[in-house]
Amino acid sequence: MSSATKILLLFFIVGPILSSAKTPHVIHFRSPNLYPESLTYDPSAQHFIVGSLHHRTVNSVSDAGVTETIISDPSLPPSTSILGLAVDKLNNRLLAVIHSFDSLHPFNGLAAYDLRSRQRLFLSLLPSTPSDEDGRSPIANDVAFDFKGNAYVTNSEGNFIWKVSPEGEASIFSTSPVFTQFPVDRDSPLSSFGLNGIAYVSKGYLLVVQTNTGKLFKVDADDGTARNVLLSEDLPEADGIAIRGDGVVLVVSNKKLWFLKSDDSWGEGVVYDKIDLDGERFPTSVVVGREDRAYVLYGCVVEGLSGKGGRELFDIEEVRSEKESEDEKIWVYVLIGLGLAIFFIWRFQMKQLIRNMDKKAN
């Protein structure tokens, strides 16, 4: 067997195996008392971006865990947290949800920052109204945006969505009765009774999760009308949501990461895999990074909200679907078989060629 043949055979057999055997990417990063609740990814800079419960800063995190403060905004109201984040690539800006947990100084807003100059473009005060029949104050939580530059912000203590125009004009956008159609467990230890994670789908609608009921809603991005997505199972304690390039929807809770897909533009959906997460570190956000890989943020926010503080180390971890990995393994075996078939066919042809040449020589 020639050296070229050996190399070819090694490529077909070992290459796919090594590719499938890569361990998930884990990023440890340090930032004293940060307690990030939100996570997004900047594909241009190729780094993650996290907010903070305790600081009026936004930090980047590299693949190697190197952190850098990219935005520091001391002009924000005191005692505010930076929660939901989104990178608007088309307009080269970062959207950041601002909320104050101080009941004496309530504040809900959306800030936009230029990613080049890192200067604030606007800070929009979100209209404040009682979020529910029991008078709970609203908590601005997550943000998504459409191709026109409009931003959509969820209220995790109530059942409506804010809309902020590209110029920073804020209004209450969707108060669909569908959001209150399902019973809410008021005795639940969950602090959130409203809408949490939100993501924009390119076909002109939003997908929104409701933490207490575990429901997923499809919301028209033009008029705010909404409907419940019929899922194969509920998503209890759902928090963050993200969409992969292939249309797979990722939903994270403090215990699980669900992988969902739909064949009818989210009239119905199927949970085709779910992965257990480390609840003690309280994951709150999921994002799609390079190569459509899913990453979960472990920001230990319950510890941060409890007032204990003092933590320095936090984590961003890649999470893979076990069922998708099984499918990849099948393709590995298919490629191995194909490689071997090509090799043996080539070998047979070479033997035939040598025999024919010997006959002619004799």
Side-chain angles (χ1 to χ4, degrees), residues 102-119:
D102 185 349
S103 59
L104 297 178
H105 303 90
F107 184 86
N108 289 289
L110 180 72
Y113 299 91
D114 186 282
L115 281 171
R116 290 194 183 93
S117 67
R118 300 183 180 180
Q119 297 300 308

Side-chain angles (χ1 to χ4, degrees), residues 41-221:
Y41 184 75
D42 185 348
S44 298
Q46 294 190 354
H47 60 213
F48 296 92
I49 299 176
V50 295
S52 174
L53 285 182
H54 296 159
H55 305 311
R56 288 171 285 183
T57 62
V58 176
N59 295 269
S60 65
V61 182
S62 73
D63 283 350
V66 177
T67 61
E68 176 190 358
T69 299
I70 58 174
I71 292 170
S72 178
D73 194 347
S75 65
L76 291 174
S79 303
T80 54
S81 301
I82 296 179
L83 300 181
L85 294 169
V87 172
D88 181 354
K89 295 183 295 181
L90 292 178
N91 296 293
N92 198 45
R93 62 180 185 168
L94 175 71
L95 301 172
V97 175
I98 313 298
H99 173 74
S100 173
F101 287 98
D102 185 349
S103 59
L104 297 178
H105 303 90
F107 184 86
N108 289 289
L110 180 72
Y113 299 91
D114 186 282
L115 281 171
R116 290 194 183 93
S117 67
R118 300 183 180 180
Q119 297 300 308
R120 192 170 75 194
L121 301 173
F122 63 74
L123 175 61
S124 299
L125 179 65
L126 301 175
S128 181
T129 60
S131 66
D132 237 314
E133 66 275 4
D134 59 3
R136 287 176 175 268
S137 297
I139 296 178
N141 184 273
D142 198 13
V143 60
F145 59 90
D146 62 23
F147 291 129
K148 299 176 183 177
N150 298 302
Y152 305 86
V153 181
T154 55
N155 173 16
S156 65
E157 279 304 307
N159 292 293
F160 64 81
I161 300 170
W162 289 283
K163 182 176 182 177
V164 181
S165 73
E167 295 75 32
E169 298 177 3
S171 61
I172 293 179
F173 169 63
S174 178
T175 57
S176 173
V178 174
F179 299 150
T180 56
Q181 177 180 342
F182 302 96
V184 173
D185 180 8
R186 293 297 177 184
D187 297 324
S188 168
L190 294 174
S191 60
S192 174
F193 293 93
L195 306 174
N196 261 356
I198 185 170
Y200 178 77
V201 182
S202 59
K203 294 181 180 179
Y205 55 88
L206 303 150
L207 291 177
V208 187
V209 293
Q210 191 173 51
T211 299
N212 193 280
T213 64
K215 300 298 182 181
L216 177 69
F217 300 109
K218 177 181 177 179
V219 182
D220 190 294

Side-chain angles (χ1 to χ4, degrees), residues 15 28 37 50 81 86 134 148 160-161 214 251 254 268 296 329 354 356:
H28 305 295
E37 191 272 347
V50 295
S81 301
D134 59 3
K148 299 176 183 177
F160 64 81
I161 300 170
V251 177
N254 58 6
E268 300 180 2
V296 166
K329 289 178 182 178
I354 292 172
N356 292 335

